[in-house]
Amino acid sequence: MTLIAGNWKMNGLAAEISEIQSIVSGLANYSGADAMICPPALLLPAAVKAAAGSALAIGAQDCHAEVSGAHTGDISAQMIADAGAVAVIVGHSERRSDHGEQDADVLAKAMAAHQAGLNAIICVGETDRQRDAGDALKVVGSQLDGSVPGGNPDNIVIAYEPVWAIGTGRTASEDDIAAMHDHIRNWLASHFGDAGQRVRILYGGSVKPANAAEILSVPNVNGALVGGASLKADDFLAIVAAA
Ligand code: PEP
């Protein structure tokens, strides 16, 4: 089933749990897609409570690769699972650029997520300079090589997010999305065989109610990772409805 996952990034105070409550109520009208919200870590317990018993899954935005230890300010995958979340985003381009995360770090985080029983939403995507140089497919292929754990892929989701499309209002063309998602599908099939066909590939980058149906109809687009438009329940639900 299509997955619409919302990434709240560093947005949301306790009052915004009301948006989660509205999403939970609104989801009762839609059964065509799985829905997930990834709020800031401090809101995880309240979000899990608000979504309890509903179709809304709760995920986190990052985890440390270690289970515990001297890592001031970090949170582990085990802590995220303990809070009741079911997934964690790893390798978001903002983590890669703001915190210098490399593919090996992303791989270690994805493996930590799996060890904690979480699904890992592994983000990949090229910069505009890399796309302009004609290197987009090569860059994403290399990120997949370095960031995706081997073994059973049933607990991974790949999110293709061209860096230049995140939070900019620009989206990739349907042809470019189709070519990249086909490339990712082939990579998954060559690494995981038939199981690779089942892995969901999300598109992310300025997805909003006005363009969601078009993007979600592109072959091998199995959902969306949504930033800005996931902050308001009405917008998020409109994207779920478009799936
Ligand atoms: C994101 O944060 O992953 C994202 C795609 O953001 P936006 O939808 O705001 O571009």
Side-chain angles (χ1 to χ4, degrees):
M1 184 136 63
T2 301
L3 170 64
I4 308 298
N7 171 17
W8 279 13
K9 312 192 187 197
M10 198 172 71
N11 297 292
L13 301 175
E16 271 69 55
I17 290 298
S18 64
E19 295 298 328
I20 305 247
Q21 287 161 342
S22 301
I23 291 170
V24 164
S25 318
L27 280 179
N29 303 318
Y30 310 112
S31 56
D34 290 332
M36 180 186 296
I37 291 289
C38 302
L42 282 174
L43 292 186
L44 281 174
V48 166
K49 193 169 167 210
S54 80
L56 182 67
I58 300 298
Q61 300 174 13
D62 179 49
C63 66
H64 196 279
E66 301 292 330
V67 173
S68 61
H71 302 290
T72 303
D74 280 312
I75 57 170
S76 71
Q78 198 181 44
M79 292 169 180
I80 292 166
D82 189 50
V86 297
V88 59
I89 299 169
V90 293
H92 191 283
S93 63
E94 288 152 13
R95 298 290 316 175
R96 291 178 187 260
S97 64
D98 294 0
H99 301 273
E101 290 186 8
Q102 306 293 317
D103 290 337
D105 303 311
V106 180
L107 175 65
K109 289 178 180 214
M111 289 169 67
H114 290 164
Q115 243 176 345
L118 299 172
N119 292 300
I121 301 176
I122 303 170
C123 300
V124 293
E126 81 286 357
T127 62
D128 48 0
R129 191 178 286 193
Q130 290 165 332
R131 175 156 288 276
D132 291 346
D135 289 337
L137 297 180
K138 194 176 80 187
V139 165
V140 167
S142 146
Q143 288 174 333
L144 292 169
D145 287 340
S147 314
V148 178
N152 179 353
D154 286 345
N155 46 11
I156 65 168
V157 170
I158 304 295
Y160 167 57
E161 300 203 303
V163 177
W164 48 270
I166 297 177
T168 59
R170 291 168 64 200
T171 49
S173 71
E174 277 184 58
D175 284 351
D176 286 343
I177 297 174
M180 184 61 82
H181 280 237
D182 183 58
H183 181 61
I184 295 171
R185 179 66 66 208
N186 287 337
W187 188 95
L188 289 166
S190 74
H191 282 72
F192 299 114
D194 284 350
Q197 303 290 350
R198 292 197 296 272
V199 174
R200 291 189 280 198
I201 309 171
L202 313 185
Y203 173 79
S206 299
V207 176
K208 45 186 181 273
N211 61 18
E214 199 180 305
I215 291 169
L216 291 169
S217 68
V218 173
N220 278 313
V221 173
N222 312 117
L225 183 54
V226 184
S230 69
L231 293 169
K232 289 283 161 226
D234 287 351
D235 288 344
F236 183 74
L237 288 167
I239 295 171
V240 173

